[in-house]
Amino acid sequence: MRLVPFGSLTDENFAAWRAIRDGDSRWDSPYFTPEYVAAVHAGRPVEVLIGDGFVWPLHKSGSSAKPAGSPGADFQGPLVEPGVRLSPQRMLASVGIRSLAFDHLLDGYQDFEPWVEEKRVSPVMDVSGGLDGYTKRVDKSGRDKMSEARRLTNKASRELGPVEFTVRARDGLDHVIALKREQYASTGARDHFADPVHQDLLYRLLDSELGLLSTVYAGPHLLAAHFGIRSHGVLHWWFPVFDRKFGSYSPGWILLREMVMAAPDLGITRIDLGRGEDEYKRRAMTGSSTVCIGAVTSGLRTSARRMSRAAVAAAKASPIAPQLKAIARKFR
């Protein structure tokens, strides 16, 4: 096992990477492509852990590491040939890594199971066959929202101006990032785009084959937009935004319906909505995958992490959690 700077990978290394990925659909997400990692590496150095039948791009800092793209990568994990088994602790120790934390590790890595602390659902939409195919698979709640989105699209056209959907927009990413930052501020969530590195990554991806910026306007008004990444038949639903003053039109659902209708022309058969319990994800999903939170560490560090996560979970479950969040927001 060796750790190689991304910029030092050879054509042979990339060929092995792509062969492993193409051989198993579990890594069909764009997060597992060399192109995504290249875009990440341009803003923040990536080193790739390489062994026989094994590839894992990482950010290394001292003796600690995280999957490449963290904290923005919604799917993580090594690409491994069938039958390859390993000892994560010994593997990492061989390259000077004492701790590797993950928060979106794909479920199913048997060798990493002892270090998984929590598992979360990551909803998906099967959009093969476009809107007709999708509405046959989604439950009644999702079908009702799609019907409502159609009616509200017509209403927006009458009241605001003709509704226009652009699936491959080239302008407007500044506005998307600004709206997303407003959303973070209003909900008290951590501002992902406070770090310019994360903003720059989106611009690089937009200039690549992976990035996809889509917008919905009603007349001169931007109702909603989305920036995601895609590869083969998969679109990862990454940064959706909408203008809150048009919230009565359910602009997010209007945008999602337009994307489902456009899916066949884009060659997209699945939309990964990402980990989360948002109501729209619950309604829109036709299935789900599972991602894991945890860290490969020494025994003492593992115990400390588990105790810390238990304390956080208890605080979130506390009746005074909303008040604590409000206080914390005042000191941001």
Side-chain angles (χ1 to χ4, degrees):
M1 198 70 67
R2 56 200 177 100
L3 202 57
V4 181
F6 182 86
S8 298
L9 293 180
T10 65
D11 290 344
E12 184 179 355
N13 295 143
F14 284 118
W17 181 335
R18 291 189 173 94
I20 296 173
R21 181 173 181 263
D22 292 344
D24 194 324
S25 62
R26 69 183 300 197
W27 296 300
D28 59 4
S29 168
Y31 289 110
F32 295 104
T33 63
E35 291 78 14
Y36 168 74
V37 179
V40 170
H41 174 69
R44 184 181 173 198
V46 172
E47 297 180 69
V48 184
L49 192 57
I50 296 178
D52 291 335
F54 182 97
V55 177
W56 198 356
L58 305 170
H59 294 302
K60 186 173 181 289
S61 177
S63 62
S64 300
K66 291 185 177 181
S70 299
D74 287 350
F75 288 107
Q76 304 164 355
L79 291 88
V80 187
E81 286 184 348
V84 172
R85 297 295 304 274
L86 50 94
S87 168
Q89 278 185 320
R90 286 199 296 269
M91 171 190 72
L92 296 175
S94 71
V95 294
I97 297 175
R98 297 178 59 188
S99 173
L100 192 156
F102 50 83
D103 56 10
H104 288 80
L105 184 78
L106 278 180
D107 195 21
Y109 289 103
Q110 181 180 349
D111 295 318
F112 284 84
E113 198 64 33
W115 288 277
V116 171
E117 300 163 6
E118 187 178 349
K119 295 187 178 184
R120 302 272 187 89
V121 168
S122 186
V124 303
M125 298 169 64
D126 181 347
V127 295
S128 53
L131 187 61
D132 288 343
Y134 169 72
T135 53
K136 291 176 182 176
R137 286 181 290 270
V138 73
D139 65 18
K140 183 177 184 301
S141 177
R143 287 195 300 275
D144 289 347
K145 291 302 291 186
M146 286 292 165
S147 295
E148 180 184 38
R150 176 179 54 79
R151 293 193 297 272
L152 290 171
T153 298
N154 294 333
K155 181 181 180 184
S157 293
R158 293 192 304 270
E159 298 177 354
L160 302 175
V163 171
E164 181 179 355
F165 172 64
T166 303
V167 68
R168 293 187 184 90
R170 298 307 305 172
D171 299 317
L173 186 52
D174 287 347
H175 198 175
V176 169
I177 292 173
L179 284 174
K180 200 66 181 177
R181 298 193 71 183
E182 288 178 12
Q183 178 185 327
Y184 292 141
S186 67
T187 60
R190 178 183 56 82
D191 184 354
H192 180 73
F193 292 116
D195 187 341
V197 169
H198 299 154
Q199 297 189 33
D200 293 342
L201 173 60
L202 266 60
Y203 287 100
R204 284 193 296 277
L205 289 168
L206 183 61
D207 289 335
S208 74
E209 293 296 319
L210 294 181
L212 185 66
L213 174 64
S214 303
T215 60
V216 173
Y217 278 83
H221 310 289
L222 177 67
L223 297 184
H226 168 256
F227 181 85
I229 51 177
R230 59 174 177 150
S231 177
H232 299 305
V234 179
L235 169 65
H236 192 89
W237 196 251
W238 206 6
F239 295 108
V241 297
F242 65 92
D243 193 322
R244 287 189 293 173
K245 68 174 172 283
F246 300 116
S248 62
Y249 297 97
S250 293
W253 279 99
I254 290 177
L255 174 64
L256 193 57
R257 180 175 180 270
E258 293 287 353
M259 287 300 308
V260 173
M261 289 193 293
D265 288 339
L266 293 172
I268 292 170
T269 58
R270 190 180 83 234
I271 298 177
D272 286 329
L273 295 174
R275 191 186 81 190
E277 300 175 355
D278 309 67
E279 182 185 2
Y280 87 89
K281 293 183 181 182
R282 178 182 59 79
R283 290 183 177 224
M285 64 188 286
T286 60
S288 66
S289 56
T290 302
V291 294
C292 308
I293 302 168
V296 180
T297 61
S298 66
L300 290 176
R301 289 189 179 189
T302 300
S303 297
R305 278 185 57 89
R306 292 185 187 276
M307 291 176 64
S308 175
R309 290 195 65 79
V312 171
K316 287 181 177 180
S318 167
I320 64 170
Q323 293 94 314
L324 292 175
K325 286 183 179 179
I327 293 172
R329 282 198 291 272
K330 292 181 180 179
F331 290 92
R332 286 179 183 271

